[in-house]
Amino acid sequence: MNTDVRSTPIWLKLLQYPLVRLALLGTPLFYCLGFSNAFMEENKGHPINQAIAAMSMIALAFWIYVGFARYIERREPTDVSLRGMGREVGIGLLIGAGLYTCCVLILMILGVYKIVGINPVSAMLPAVPLALSAGFLEELVFRGALFRIVEEWLGSWVALLVSSVTFGFVHLMNPDATLTGAIFISVEAGILLAAAYMVTRRLWMSIAFHMAWNYTQSAVFSGIVSGSFNEAGLIKPVIAGPEYLTGGSFGLEASLTAFLLCTTAGVVLLVKAVREGRIVRPSLARLKGDLPPVSQ
């Protein structure tokens, strides 16, 4: 950040205080997410309407995020810049789709997941707007706003804990959520998504992973997505087995299979972030609120 702290107006210093920034940025982003989720629910069976709403909310959320970065935080929003986006999106898509596919393959070997038929390819379309909405909007809220601001204030480890627990337990709002599912998501997804941000210092990889996981889960393997919905995808399965393998009503995120695979992948990325010196330590001045945000 190029802003000279000594020349920063008092009103801007107040707006740049971490808790104030969390409220000012997090609230409108969370409303975008909430509106998108509500619209998806009210327009089931109308994927075109859902896609228009999802893209509109994503565009609005990015406009809010970039504008807030430039005019309040006084930084260049490099965490959402387009340069290098393609590579990070590609890696995120591969990790997300690959991890979920590995989980299903393990269940198939164990005889828990059995393929009994194939639906028309058109069955894969309704999951597109849902995956876009969750991937973009949830990552802007939980990694772009919550993790990033807490990290600048209290350091990477506190930010990892706060963002992971918040992200996991927000899923308790879903209709078929379980406490086990919320705890598992806090660990497996909270670590993986935050670590992806720490390694790249950008949001694209975590956005792409989130989208690919949700889309593969629903559109390809007809799985339950985080206790929220269960739409028919490409594959017609019969899933029968203990809840610690299937995840029960919450879906595969609440299974030991997903927990072990995703947590392992997250720890690998976290170790990479540590080795590359990507960990932010809390600054005493920042703890007092005397410094502006860390430049990205």
Side-chain angles (χ1 to χ4, degrees):
M1 175 173 294
N2 297 322
T3 303
D4 186 345
V5 178
R6 292 170 296 181
S7 64
T8 303
I10 293 178
W11 64 268
L12 185 56
K13 281 187 178 182
L14 291 174
L15 294 183
Q16 289 178 344
Y17 190 78
L19 289 176
V20 176
R21 284 193 292 139
L22 274 173
L24 291 178
L25 179 58
T27 300
L29 291 179
F30 198 79
Y31 268 102
C32 288
L33 174 60
F35 177 85
S36 181
N37 288 343
F39 192 91
M40 297 292 168
E41 182 64 26
E42 293 171 3
N43 287 267
K44 282 185 176 180
H46 301 281
I48 294 178
N49 292 344
Q50 289 180 323
I52 292 172
M55 295 305 296
S56 298
M57 286 300 101
I58 290 169
L60 176 59
F62 267 89
W63 180 78
I64 292 170
Y65 190 84
V66 171
F68 191 86
R70 288 177 174 165
Y71 298 109
I72 301 299
E73 296 178 320
R74 298 296 175 91
R75 69 181 181 92
E76 190 61 31
T78 55
D79 48 340
V80 291
S81 66
L82 299 181
R83 184 177 180 182
M85 178 186 73
R87 178 176 178 275
E88 292 166 11
V89 167
I91 293 173
L93 292 175
L94 287 174
I95 293 175
L99 280 176
Y100 194 87
T101 301
C102 285
C103 289
V104 172
L105 289 176
I106 291 172
L107 295 185
M108 290 176 68
I109 292 171
L110 295 175
V112 172
Y113 187 103
K114 297 178 181 179
I115 299 175
V116 296
I118 300 294
N119 289 314
V121 175
S122 59
M124 301 175 71
L125 295 178
V128 172
L130 295 166
L132 287 172
S133 178
F136 278 94
L137 297 177
E138 290 185 18
E139 290 312 301
L140 282 173
V141 171
F142 294 104
R143 256 58 62 178
L146 182 59
F147 177 86
R148 180 179 58 82
I149 293 173
V150 173
E151 182 187 46
E152 292 168 358
W153 184 27
L154 301 174
S156 297
W157 301 119
V158 174
L160 179 62
L161 176 63
V162 171
S163 64
S164 296
V165 171
T166 304
F167 180 66
F169 279 80
V170 161
H171 286 79
L172 285 174
M173 298 169 62
N174 293 342
D176 294 315
T178 64
L179 181 59
T180 300
I183 294 172
F184 276 28
I185 278 191
S186 294
V187 179
E188 66 197 18
I191 293 175
L192 178 55
L193 294 168
Y197 174 81
M198 280 190 274
V199 167
T200 62
R201 285 295 153 189
R202 286 146 62 82
L203 289 167
W204 298 119
M205 188 182 294
S206 59
I207 287 172
F209 168 84
H210 202 145
M211 285 193 304
W213 174 276
N214 281 21
Y215 185 76
T216 306
Q217 184 173 25
S218 177
V220 179
F221 294 107
S222 303
I224 303 170
V225 179
S226 309
S228 59
F229 62 90
N230 182 18
E231 303 288 344
L234 180 65
I235 293 173
K236 293 180 181 179
V238 170
I239 305 173
E243 284 197 9
Y244 69 86
L245 289 177
T246 67
S249 64
F250 194 87
L252 201 56
E253 290 103 335
S255 71
L256 281 179
T257 309
F259 182 83
L260 293 174
L261 286 180
C262 292
T263 303
T264 300
V267 170
V268 169
L269 284 178
L270 202 55
V271 170
K272 180 177 175 63
V274 172
R275 288 179 175 174
E276 294 181 357
R278 303 282 187 170
I279 302 301
V280 175
R281 291 176 174 80
S283 162
L284 180 60
R286 239 177 253 117
L287 290 174
K288 294 178 179 178
D290 296 334
L291 288 181
V294 176
S295 60
Q296 298 294 319

